[in-house]
Structure formats: structure tokens, C-alpha cells
Amino acid sequence: MNKVQQQKQIVFIDDSGDPGFKLDKGSSAYFVIACVIFDDPLDAEETALVIKKFRRTLGWADYREFKFNKTKKDIVSSLLNEVATNKFRIRAISMDKSKIRSHELKNRQDSFYNYTIKEVLAKTQTLHHADIRLDGHSGRQYKQSAITYFRREINSRSKKISKVKFVDSRTNVLIQLADLVAGSILRTYQTDKSDSNTYIKILKPRIEDIWKFR
């Protein structure tokens, strides 16, 4: 049994863009789900500590969040540089929504959101009994149905998922890191912005795969 199998993997997942399909009325053209994968819980603890210490250097309160769309971009760059040498893997999926044909996915945001997460996890062959942690901003009924969906769809052939847990991004800096990663990937499609490739270049050493669903 190798080291990846011996350790409890932890995967933090967040999104960027939106799951809506009103592309002519402001919905984002792309939707990104990013997974930040730790193959050892100790690596997760060490990365979280780096983020918390960085927040202290800014003079921020402990409850203040790092969010790609709300945090000054020089701070985003500095934080990503701080964690870029830590041990984690990034796997992500970017959905070109103009290519989606399914009526259900286009008309039910929860279904589209869950499907996108399922696709990226299903294509991650290196997951073994992983703890999945998602931003817990949704309601209780959605959470229960989502957990059932992920277990059924992803564990049907192999035991990739041990547990699915929704956590509060306000108190979980590794969910905040997943937000920054997802935002960095989505920014690469915003080619009209001068920083469209700034953040993805910093993260490059940690990126294992970004699957473009087109």
C-alpha cells in the first residue's frame, strides 16, 4: 500500500462563476470547480497555518475571508506565492456553458453544480477514501441530496469518497484557498483583463489537471 492510500486524503472544493444559463443577461460564460487535494492531513494543517499567519501580517481579524472577487489582487498574488511551495494538488474543471445541451442541467442550477463536481471527482483517479469538504452556504435539504448524489455517482465503481462534509468558508481557510484557485482559473478566460494569467502562473507548480469541458 503506497503513501497516498495510507493517509487520509482531504479535498477542498469551491467554485467560480455562476451556474446560471442566462448568458445574454449576465450569467458567466464559464463555470469553474476547483479541487485542492491534500494527500496527507499534516500538509493541510501546514498550509492552513501559512494562510493564517499571512492574514495576521495584514493586520486582518481572524474571521476575515480571502475571496478572489473581493480581495485586492496584490494580496491574492502574495498569498498564492506564500502557499505555492506547500504540498497540495489542484484538479479542476471549466465548463463552457454554451456547449451544454442537457435541459435539466440548463434549468436546474443544483443539478448543474452537482454534475460539475461529480465530473471532476470521477476523473480524479488518485482519490482513495477521501474526505470531501464543500462550502456550506446552501440549505439543509440541498446538502442531504448532494451527499447522496455524490456517494451514488462517484462511489459506484470504486471507493473514492469516504465522507462529504459542508463547512463554513468564514472559518475554513482551505475552502478560501479553493475559492482563490477557482477564481484564478476563471480569470484566464477574461482575456480583456491585464492580470488574466497572473495567478495561474503562480499556481502552476501545484496544478495537476484543468479539464476543459467543451
Side-chain angles (χ1 to χ4, degrees), residues 16-32:
S16 191
D18 64 81
F21 278 82
K22 295 181 179 178
L23 302 182
D24 58 341
K25 296 182 179 179
S27 293
S28 62
Y30 289 85
F31 182 64
V32 172

Side-chain angles (χ1 to χ4, degrees), residues 72-142:
K72 291 182 178 179
K73 294 304 178 284
D74 59 331
I75 293 177
V76 172
S77 293
S78 296
L79 176 53
L80 294 180
N81 276 305
E82 287 287 327
V83 300
T85 57
N86 283 79
K87 294 180 181 179
F88 60 87
R89 299 183 283 129
I90 293 170
R91 295 186 66 87
I93 181 173
S94 65
M95 306 289 279
D96 180 349
K97 289 190 285 187
S98 69
K99 306 299 183 182
I100 302 297
R101 298 291 178 259
S102 166
H103 179 79
E104 180 178 357
L105 296 183
K106 293 174 73 172
N107 287 277
R108 295 187 59 187
Q109 293 189 4
D110 285 352
S111 294
F112 179 60
Y113 183 78
N114 290 348
Y115 174 80
T116 307
I117 293 174
K118 184 264 292 185
E119 285 294 292
V120 70
L121 291 177
K123 291 184 179 299
T124 303
Q125 302 302 322
T126 53
L127 290 184
H128 308 280
H129 301 274
D131 283 356
I132 307 298
R133 301 187 183 177
L134 298 151
D135 188 1
H137 58 272
S138 301
R140 182 179 179 182
Q141 184 175 356
Y142 163 74

Side-chain angles (χ1 to χ4, degrees), residues 44-55:
E45 291 176 15
E46 290 176 347
T47 304
L49 186 58
V50 169
I51 297 171
K52 291 175 181 178
K53 285 183 175 180
F54 179 77
R55 184 169 57 192

Side-chain angles (χ1 to χ4, degrees), residues 123-161:
K123 291 184 179 299
T124 303
Q125 302 302 322
T126 53
L127 290 184
H128 308 280
H129 301 274
D131 283 356
I132 307 298
R133 301 187 183 177
L134 298 151
D135 188 1
H137 58 272
S138 301
R140 182 179 179 182
Q141 184 175 356
Y142 163 74
K143 292 175 183 177
Q144 291 174 336
S145 63
I147 289 171
T148 300
Y149 173 82
F150 294 137
R151 286 184 179 280
R152 181 183 72 242
E153 295 294 327
I154 300 169
N155 280 356
S156 59
R157 295 184 181 179
S158 61
K159 186 69 174 178
K160 289 186 175 184
I161 295 177

